[in-house]
Amino acid sequence: MGGKKEEQQAEYGEAAQFDPTFNGPIHNRSCTDIICCVLFMLVVVGYMVVGILAWLYGDPRHVLYPRNSTGMFCGITPNQDKPNVFYFNILQCATATNIMAASLQGLQCPTNQICVKSCPQDFWVLNPLAYSPGAKMSDYFNQDLCLPSFDLSKTTLTATEIIDKQLCPYFYTPTTSVLGRCLPSFGMAATDGIPTNFSYPGMTHNQTVNTIKNATSDLVQGFNARDVGVRIFADFASTWQWIVLGMVIAMVVSLLFLLLLRFLAGILVWILILGVLAVGAFGIWYCYNEYMQLANSTLTYNSVGFTTNVNVYLQIRDTWLAFLIILSVVEGVLLLILIFLRTRILIAIALIQESSKAVGYMMSTLVYPLVTFVMLLVCVSYWGITALYLATSGGPIYNVVALNTSVGDCSGITGNQSCDPLLFNGTEYPACPSARCVFIKYNTEGLFQRNIFNLQIYNVIAFLWCVNFVLALGQCTLAGAFASYYWAFHKPSDIPMFPLISSFMRALRYHVGSLAFGALILTLIQLVRIILEYIDHKCRAAQNPCARFLMCCLKCCFWCLEKFIKFLNRNAYIMIAIYGKNFCVSAKNAFLLLMRNILRVVVLDKVTDMLMFFGKLLVVGGVGVLAFFFFTGKIQVPGSSFQASALNYYWMPIITVVAGAYLISNGFFSVYNMCVDTLFLCFLEDLERNDGSAEKPYYMSKNLMKILNKKNKQPKN
């Protein structure tokens, strides 16, 4: 056994040697990976420059506010009292989906659009008397829904001329404002309430109704989005105190669970292990029982053949025999693992208990995820705002467009003639009364605009790098704090003052380059995965089975590679926090140390994962069940004015509480996971550096020394 251990150590590097000056994270250290630090700083400065340029050239109003036909925004000056855009002839937009797409991309729907105070709520069609000679147009048309430049009270045009020039709509339907766009609001099972005299010119009443229903069929349910949103907002307004209370309960339960692991870790682990074995034993008994009950069955696989009815196969005796053999093998393997790895399981339990002690002594570490969350929020917000400003860079381009080619001679309008919406009056095209100066797109001809796509790619790369750097900084900071705990010989008196702040400052002062190096490697892999997903999405319909298989293999390989790099980076950051070496040296030392103790690594990882899963299940499941019973009215709070029956959608606060509980528990348990990993690496270093003598005492807890049958010798007086 000793020879094999020496061979393993030779293969994966030499064991760490005793250093009499080492007593925890090294304070006398120097900057590491300076080249990568400079590169990261340059990328961040470039990212800021891109953001400034995007802010100078971009205009998010293009997306935030709807526009009328002339490209003017609705809801802001000079239309601040008119937040909605109204479509003259909504049927020309084909479907409501096209309306939304066109309006968000530049209002290219081939009909006039104007800004209005509110969307029409009823059906209306122009009275036939309006076509009579001498009819006063202001008595039949609505000035608020006509072009602002057209005055009904002063016009000499006839109704036919007004309609041909699209100066006013000659019909409209009930609409609802959706993101500032007046879209048809057919929430009814049928078009109940439509006047029987309402018809589109050239159509019967029934044909008109069917046309409207077909033109808006893609968004029939989505038209009431605003109403649904208002109801959801009302539910949140009446339950926000209880939602916050649910999240506070999740926080308290998470904290109590982590602190109680100090005393209950061993019990919980053994209960979970024995529970798995008990489930396996029950499965073996059940399969054996079913196998014996089918002793007289004559069914075989040959007689049944292939069928999609799975229940048929459960009537075959050999099916249960196969299940019985598989479960017996799995149960036997688990028992052998439990017998031969029981010592390592005990070590994992002791490390988990020690981690709970460390968290208890340094409660500030539980607050640090909030710092990481704020920094991630800044990164995400900056990325989103920059992307929005980049997407809206460039001035608007207006072209002359014929809205109704069936009236007059519009052959001279090709759609490429540019125009100024403030100066255009249609006199240049007298033969085409429906000629309008319409917004087409944003200018893409300038140097900045031609490189928008490249700048968006830069935005994504810099965003991923910054996010991975923030996560790396958090891991390195926590690792330094927990390492200070482990290497304190007399705990807690030897723990340095403010270990978390000290670790954070060391990481920022000396190791920005190393953290950026690890984050860059991870970013490159994530970029490859994004590219593969994009290619797969674009070519999915054209791919043959071989290409799809190859793409699936590539995606799987890079997914595994990303998981491995995250694991390697995590342990490299721990070594950086302790010894202050550069990224490559730290990653190599961490990897070799783990490979020299691979069985302990596997056991600790699985035991910790099992405990963390149980903890999250306890917190999220428990709080979720409590929220379900409360928001459905099954639990009443004495003296509370809350009424569950008043909620429109009781599942919304429940989902919010569950999501919040998961995020809170994940934040707490991520700190705990980092603590376990850090103490584990320190424990392995402790075993290699020290031997328990008076000159080289162990720093591990007495419980760990007892499990390993080791002890520190007392110094001679």
Side-chain angles (χ1 to χ4, degrees), residues 177-237:
S177 178
V178 179
L179 299 178
R181 281 84 180 171
C182 295
L183 301 181
S185 54
F186 293 105
M188 305 169 258
T191 51
D192 299 332
I194 299 180
T196 55
N197 64 343
F198 173 75
S199 62
Y200 186 75
M203 296 185 184
T204 64
H205 171 72
N206 292 334
Q207 289 174 331
T208 300
V209 171
N210 291 331
T211 301
I212 294 173
K213 291 170 66 177
N214 292 335
T216 58
S217 60
D218 292 337
L219 283 181
V220 166
Q221 297 180 355
F223 291 153
N224 292 316
R226 183 179 180 184
D227 186 45
V228 173
V230 169
R231 292 181 182 181
I232 291 175
F233 180 80
D235 289 344
F236 278 126

Side-chain angles (χ1 to χ4, degrees), residues 463-478:
F463 164 70
L464 290 176
W465 198 357
C466 289
V467 166
N468 288 323
F469 175 81
V470 168
L471 296 175
L473 177 62
Q475 292 174 351
C476 190
T477 300
L478 291 173

Side-chain angles (χ1 to χ4, degrees), residues 315-576:
Q315 304 302 317
I316 302 175
R317 198 172 187 229
D318 289 344
T319 300
W320 294 104
L321 178 61
F323 288 159
L324 178 63
I325 294 172
I326 292 171
L327 285 176
S328 299
V329 171
V330 172
E331 187 83 353
V333 170
L334 290 176
L335 284 172
L336 290 174
I337 291 174
L338 182 62
I339 293 170
F340 289 104
L341 298 181
R342 63 187 183 281
T343 303
R344 291 180 172 85
I345 294 175
L346 292 174
I347 293 173
I349 293 172
L351 279 170
I352 291 171
Q353 292 172 329
E354 196 67 17
S355 299
S356 188
K357 280 186 185 178
V359 172
Y361 285 131
M362 294 183 289
M363 296 292 288
S364 59
T365 56
L366 294 175
V367 182
Y368 188 81
L370 292 178
V371 178
T372 301
F373 174 77
V374 170
M375 289 191 288
L376 289 176
L377 186 62
V378 170
C379 291
V380 173
S381 301
Y382 186 82
W383 166 78
I385 293 172
T386 302
L388 178 62
Y389 272 85
L390 285 174
T392 55
S393 297
I397 294 178
Y398 300 88
N399 286 349
V400 179
V401 175
L403 299 179
N404 188 358
T405 57
S406 62
V407 178
D409 182 11
C410 301
S411 58
I413 300 178
T414 61
N416 296 322
Q417 298 98 328
S418 60
C419 58
D420 186 339
L422 299 179
L423 303 177
F424 184 84
N425 55 19
T427 56
E428 298 178 11
Y429 303 93
C432 185
S434 64
R436 293 291 181 271
C437 185
V438 177
F439 170 77
I440 298 298
K441 63 177 182 178
Y442 300 106
N443 181 27
T444 58
E445 300 302 321
L447 177 63
F448 182 77
Q449 285 74 27
R450 287 200 303 268
N451 290 280
I452 292 297
F453 180 73
N454 297 330
L455 292 175
Q456 289 285 23
I457 293 177
Y458 184 87
N459 186 26
V460 172
I461 295 174
F463 164 70
L464 290 176
W465 198 357
C466 289
V467 166
N468 288 323
F469 175 81
V470 168
L471 296 175
L473 177 62
Q475 292 174 351
C476 190
T477 300
L478 291 173
F482 292 128
S484 299
Y485 166 84
Y486 186 92
W487 295 110
F489 192 73
H490 298 288
K491 302 176 180 67
S493 58
D494 288 348
I495 299 176
M497 293 288 290
F498 307 112
L500 185 67
I501 296 176
S502 300
S503 178
F504 181 76
M505 297 308 298
R506 281 197 303 270
L508 280 182
R509 181 178 178 183
Y510 298 109
H511 305 303
V512 170
S514 297
L515 300 180
F517 193 0
L520 177 61
I521 296 173
L522 189 57
T523 298
L524 294 176
I525 295 172
Q526 290 171 341
L527 279 175
V528 174
R529 291 195 63 201
I530 291 173
I531 293 171
L532 288 175
E533 290 290 345
Y534 177 79
I535 294 173
D536 185 40
H537 176 73
K538 288 294 183 180
C539 304
R540 181 165 296 176
Q543 285 178 355
N544 56 41
C546 293
R548 287 194 58 78
F549 174 75
L550 180 61
M551 181 62 68
C552 185
C553 291
L554 286 173
K555 289 164 64 175
C556 180
C557 289
F558 277 96
W559 178 84
C560 294
L561 181 60
E562 182 182 357
K563 293 294 181 183
F564 173 74
I565 293 298
K566 283 183 177 180
F567 171 78
L568 186 62
N569 283 3
R570 185 183 182 88
N571 290 283
Y573 299 146
I574 295 173
M575 301 299 276
I576 290 171

